[in-house]
Amino acid sequence: MRVAILGCGYVGLELGRRLLARGHDVVGVRRSPEGVEEIEAAGFDAVRADVTDPEGLSTVPDADALVFAASSGGRGADAAREVYVEGLETAIDQFSAREHPPDRLVYTSSTGVYGDHGGDWVDEETPIEPTTEKTRVLAEAERIALESSIAIDGTVARFSGLYGPERYRLERYLEGPVTAGYLNMVHRDDAAGAVRYLLEEDLARGEAVLVSDDEPAEKWAFADWLAEQCGVETPPKRTKEERLDEGDLSEAARRRILTSKRCSNAKLRELGYELEYPTFREGYREAVTAYRDR
């Protein structure tokens, strides 16, 4: 199988390494010279192109499968729309018009599209209710990916909060203050592993799959566990009301604090994927060891 990873960044690089190790042909696409160098350092082919540029995408070789994992770089809703909606539409149009179009597409989305569910469990049957401009853009891109089946069968991989090498953010939880709420997480290796699995096993065409670990964590309990493992004092804590009363939050930040849910990975499990890091306890082991050894 030949796979083109558009927006081959944090998850895409790991996905490419895994696919390559299993004998697949992989090409990664980034828009910056530095991004291209990262792909080449990971050991697979690289093309410099912007997902919003049809001419640039025309230089990407034909592929059996596309993975759209581009990022808007933390910018606002307008930049998100340009990348996630316009870029995805451009990629679908460009590749589906080829003599040998891809057979399928995996679009990497976010559990942010669920909005607030008051701490209740959510899964693929839960209606999405995005509450910010950016998550509304992500929901629109999901619709485009799933409706692309006219030309290419689409799958949405809906990631919980990504963590892993270079993204453990220990200090945030060790130093605090930690605001109450739930953490829904997935290790980078499992995010990449799940996409690899869905492609190789030819699963979830025309469907969304929630990619999260087994155990949503309450932030205070997670912070206390992390402090104990690292051998430091537990961090200061505050309630959501206390954080909101501080009055220094943007509207988007307020909504993030008020948004609460627990993400179920039952469907991913039922499809047969076995997580390498079922909970944060396994996923943070490397970071904890490095912290204690420093």
Side-chain angles (χ1 to χ4, degrees):
M1 177 170 55
R2 185 169 184 87
V3 182
I5 305 172
L6 310 181
C8 190
Y10 189 59
V11 173
L13 287 166
E14 182 61 23
L15 172 61
R17 285 189 285 261
R18 289 172 177 242
L19 288 168
L20 190 68
R22 295 172 68 89
H24 302 290
D25 293 325
V26 187
V27 58
V29 179
R30 293 277 288 273
R31 61 187 173 188
S32 70
E34 296 80 13
V36 167
E37 289 175 3
E38 285 189 52
I39 295 169
E40 291 172 342
F44 51 99
D45 293 339
V47 173
R48 185 181 177 191
D50 191 309
V51 295
T52 63
D53 176 19
E55 185 174 344
L57 289 178
S58 70
T59 65
V60 180
D62 289 348
D64 302 305
L66 297 179
V67 176
F68 192 94
S71 168
S72 62
R75 295 175 292 165
D78 289 342
R81 174 168 294 279
E82 180 182 6
V83 173
Y84 300 127
V85 172
E86 296 171 15
L88 182 57
E89 289 178 324
T90 299
I92 291 171
D93 290 345
Q94 211 288 326
F95 281 90
S96 63
R98 297 186 178 193
E99 182 179 356
H100 301 289
D103 182 48
R104 64 180 308 189
L105 159 75
V106 176
Y107 167 69
T108 63
S109 185
S110 164
T111 56
V113 298
Y114 283 111
D116 180 37
H117 286 269
D120 287 343
W121 286 93
V122 300
D123 61 18
E124 292 80 1
E125 301 302 315
T126 306
I128 61 175
E129 299 175 3
T131 57
T132 67
E133 284 300 318
K134 188 167 185 179
T135 54
R136 282 190 280 271
V137 167
L138 293 173
E140 184 177 352
E142 286 194 4
R143 176 187 58 78
I144 292 167
L146 294 175
E147 291 179 357
S148 71
S149 58
I150 297 172
I152 307 170
D153 285 346
T155 297
V156 169
R158 202 174 276 158
F159 293 157
S160 284
L162 292 165
Y163 75 99
E166 300 177 7
R167 290 196 186 183
Y168 288 111
R169 304 181 178 96
L170 288 183
E171 288 73 16
R172 174 187 297 181
Y173 296 102
L174 293 179
E175 297 174 4
V178 178
T179 303
Y182 283 110
L183 283 171
N184 296 281
M185 297 185 285
V186 64
H187 193 283
R188 177 205 64 184
D189 292 1
D190 279 314
V195 173
R196 188 274 307 162
Y197 181 78
L198 295 174
L199 287 174
E200 286 191 333
E201 300 300 318
D202 195 17
L203 298 170
R205 289 177 182 252
E207 300 176 12
V209 178
L210 204 161
V211 181
S212 192
D213 70 15
D214 289 347
E215 187 181 325
E218 203 288 316
K219 291 181 183 178
W220 288 1
F222 169 69
D224 285 351
W225 175 86
L226 201 59
E228 179 185 5
Q229 296 298 306
C230 290
V232 300
E233 293 293 323
T234 57
K237 303 174 182 68
R238 60 192 171 195
T239 65
K240 291 186 177 185
E241 292 74 17
E242 288 169 337
R243 180 68 184 99
L244 293 170
D245 286 345
E246 291 177 9
D248 59 345
L249 297 168
S250 66
E251 182 58 31
R254 284 181 57 85
R255 288 180 181 175
R256 282 195 296 273
I257 289 173
L258 292 170
T259 296
S260 180
K261 59 185 179 291
R262 286 175 286 173
C263 294
S264 168
N265 67 3
K267 180 175 180 176
L268 182 65
R269 285 290 202 179
E270 288 167 5
L271 288 171
Y273 181 71
E274 294 291 333
L275 286 113
E276 296 177 40
Y277 302 99
T279 76
F280 62 83
R281 296 175 191 85
E282 296 84 11
Y284 270 84
R285 186 174 296 133
E286 176 185 340
V288 167
T289 299
Y291 184 90
R292 295 186 69 103
D293 289 346
R294 66 182 185 174

